[in-house]
Amino acid sequence: MTNSNFSRRRVLKTGAIASAGLALPTYLRADGHTGFTNAPGDSEVTLGFNVPQTGPYADEGADELRAYELAVEHLNGGGDGGMLSTFSSKVLDGTGILGREVKYVTGDTQTKSDAARASARSMIEKDGAIMITGGSSSGVAVAVQALCQEAGIIFMAGLTHSNDTTGKDRRANGFRHFFNSYMSGAALAPVLAANYGTDRKAYHLTADYNWGYTTEEAVKSSTEALGWETVNAVKTPLTQTDFSSYIAPVLNSGADVLVLNHYGGNMVNSLTNAVQFGLREAQANGQNFEIIVPLYSRLMAKGAGANVKGIFGSTNWHWSLQDEGSKAFVQSFGTKYGFPPSQAAHTTYVQTLLYADAVTRANSFNPCAVVEALEDYEFDGLGNGKTLYRGADHQCFKDVLVVKGKENPENEFDLLEIVEVTPVEQVTYAPDHPQFAGGDLGTCNPGA
């Protein structure tokens, strides 16, 4: 399949089963005797891949879809099997999920919550998807997770970094493998203090939605605890493409650090504008001016090019990791697509395998059986080392990577270097931590 194919919505299975006399509520139900939404037949099971194919996070969405296709190929016995051979669980054997061939449908979230919900609803009601996954925006993830909770569908979150996803907006039917804002702050702050000192004044530019808010809060609290001062924090629209008017005031603010709480194309544009305004060469308060990008990705680094050199950030996973799972995934992805995967691709691939594994271990597609199989599940072999899916909030806990832009990259993909692998103990927090307070996981909803 060529990459251009991902720009079109594809339906590989249409229709869902409903008994002739059954009155359908908001969501299309499977036959009454099954007891849960969209119970599959004996030969096929349909998954829904809901990603940004347009909008500021479209590059991330394209890589997510590549990884989803690869995961389906491996689950159905194609290719080299990828991480199926390194996964600590050995129940996936390339015969689909519980003997059913895996099919999938796709949708475009447009990085908009309303569009994402509409797309997910269509996949559930019209296409019979039994699990929804994807997204490259926390606003989208929170909205779709709530929809899946209402519908009785499992939501395996894709790239969502806001604390809210497994904090105040947590749901029993939702699970997140990606790390979060708190973890970025906890991992980054000691590295920043060691490299830049504790007497720093920070100016934050923050994407105006829930991910930006929680990332700003996490980085501020972690750096201020080590002596930094926050002189200003300014919100920027998610639709912004030119950040010049936001960068100009930074020069006269008294700050000597600019924190860009931006992601995807927003980060590429804001960093480019900051470099154009001379911040990389500037001095303030007798110190070199520094720029920080709390959440990095290979795709963002590629978009920003040489502007990322020396700039610190954090990431969930990186293709240069040398554990057996990461090497297997990079090999599979690289063979299929001709370049290494991003952290977005890694997350969505792993989430697909984890769902299939949970169904298989539970011997059931019932969402509540899947929830039980995933809660407090410990596994290894999928990158980042040993990982726990905590039952209290459905958040994964694993090591976090602190990275910075390479000064002398060898090629267009070799733009980030890992400077520290932060142990999971340093980024672990209580489920009722103030940055995650107010959420109620509730109970699993099977839908029917």
Side-chain angles (χ1 to χ4, degrees), residues 112-125:
K112 298 176 181 177
S113 296
D114 289 346
R117 283 178 64 97
S119 178
R121 185 189 299 273
S122 177
M123 287 190 274
I124 296 168
E125 294 183 348

Side-chain angles (χ1 to χ4, degrees), residues 75-400:
L75 288 172
N76 287 333
D80 61 9
M83 284 183 168
L84 265 65
S85 63
T86 63
F87 190 9
S88 56
S89 175
K90 301 302 179 184
V91 300
L92 300 176
D93 59 5
T95 59
I97 305 176
L98 291 185
R100 294 158 176 84
E101 182 182 5
V102 182
K103 301 290 187 179
Y104 64 94
V105 293
T106 71
D108 182 7
T109 69
Q110 305 174 41
T111 319
K112 298 176 181 177
S113 296
D114 289 346
R117 283 178 64 97
S119 178
R121 185 189 299 273
S122 177
M123 287 190 274
I124 296 168
E125 294 183 348
K126 296 180 179 179
D127 304 319
I130 195 170
M131 182 270 277
I132 300 295
T133 177
S136 290
S137 157
S138 292
V140 162
V142 166
V144 175
Q145 180 170 254
L147 175 82
C148 289
Q149 181 70 36
E150 298 164 8
I153 294 291
I154 291 292
F155 177 64
M156 300 295 284
L159 198 159
T160 169
H161 187 246
S162 170
N163 290 343
D164 293 350
T165 309
T166 47
K168 71 180 183 64
D169 294 306
R170 70 187 74 165
R171 294 290 184 272
N173 282 41
F175 291 84
R176 170 166 59 178
H177 180 266
F178 205 70
F179 71 150
N180 58 43
S181 299
Y182 174 90
M183 294 172 175
S184 286
L188 267 176
V191 175
L192 297 176
N195 283 271
Y196 300 147
T198 56
D199 182 21
R200 283 288 186 168
K201 299 183 186 299
Y203 191 113
H204 288 251
L205 289 181
T206 300
D208 192 10
Y209 74 109
N210 63 345
W211 169 73
Y213 310 151
T214 65
T215 301
E216 176 189 299
E217 178 185 23
V219 175
K220 282 173 60 176
S221 62
S222 294
T223 54
E224 288 175 0
L226 295 177
W228 287 32
E229 176 186 346
T230 303
V231 300
N232 205 354
V234 177
K235 304 300 185 288
T236 63
L238 186 59
T239 56
Q240 193 75 24
T241 56
D242 184 349
F243 292 85
S244 299
S245 62
Y246 294 95
I247 299 294
V250 178
L251 293 167
N252 300 313
S253 67
D256 47 50
V257 175
L258 173 62
V259 182
L260 295 176
N261 301 306
H262 291 155
Y263 195 75
N266 290 154
M267 171 270 178
V268 172
N269 292 331
S270 62
L271 177 58
T272 299
N273 289 154
V275 172
Q276 290 170 342
F277 271 76
L279 291 188
R280 293 297 301 268
E281 293 77 34
Q283 286 206 332
N285 305 321
Q287 305 183 89
N288 292 333
F289 201 99
E290 305 293 350
I291 302 173
I292 299 164
V293 176
L295 179 59
Y296 252 135
S297 79
R298 179 187 66 74
L299 297 174
M300 289 160 56
K302 181 180 179 181
N307 292 334
V308 304
K309 289 184 177 181
I311 293 181
F312 285 102
S314 67
T315 191
N316 187 66
W317 176 87
H318 193 258
W319 65 268
S320 65
L321 287 171
Q322 291 301 299
D323 62 277
E324 292 305 310
S326 294
K327 289 193 293 184
F329 179 53
V330 171
Q331 173 67 31
S332 295
F333 192 96
T335 297
K336 188 174 182 68
Y337 300 112
F339 48 84
S342 65
Q343 64 172 353
H346 171 259
T347 297
T348 53
Y349 177 92
V350 167
Q351 284 285 68
T352 308
L353 263 58
L354 285 169
Y355 171 77
D357 174 74
V359 170
T360 306
R361 288 186 293 109
N363 195 34
S364 174
F365 286 97
N366 188 310
C368 295
V370 174
V371 168
E372 185 175 349
L374 283 171
E375 287 186 337
D376 292 319
Y377 181 45
E378 295 183 270
F379 56 90
D380 202 348
L382 297 181
N384 298 87
K386 293 181 179 179
T387 303
L388 167 69
Y389 240 138
R390 187 163 68 180
D393 51 9
H394 296 184
Q395 171 66 53
C396 263
F397 288 85
K398 55 191 181 300
D399 295 345
V400 170

Side-chain angles (χ1 to χ4, degrees), residues 32-48:
H33 71 274
T34 60
F36 58 94
T37 303
N38 290 342
D42 295 332
S43 60
E44 297 178 352
V45 59
T46 301
L47 309 182

Side-chain angles (χ1 to χ4, degrees), residues 1-3 6 63 65-70 73 332-340:
M1 168 175 283
T2 61
N3 293 346
F6 289 112
D63 225 33
L65 280 181
R66 295 181 189 109
Y68 281 134
E69 182 182 57
L70 185 64
E73 180 179 306
S332 295
F333 192 96
T335 297
K336 188 174 182 68
Y337 300 112
F339 48 84

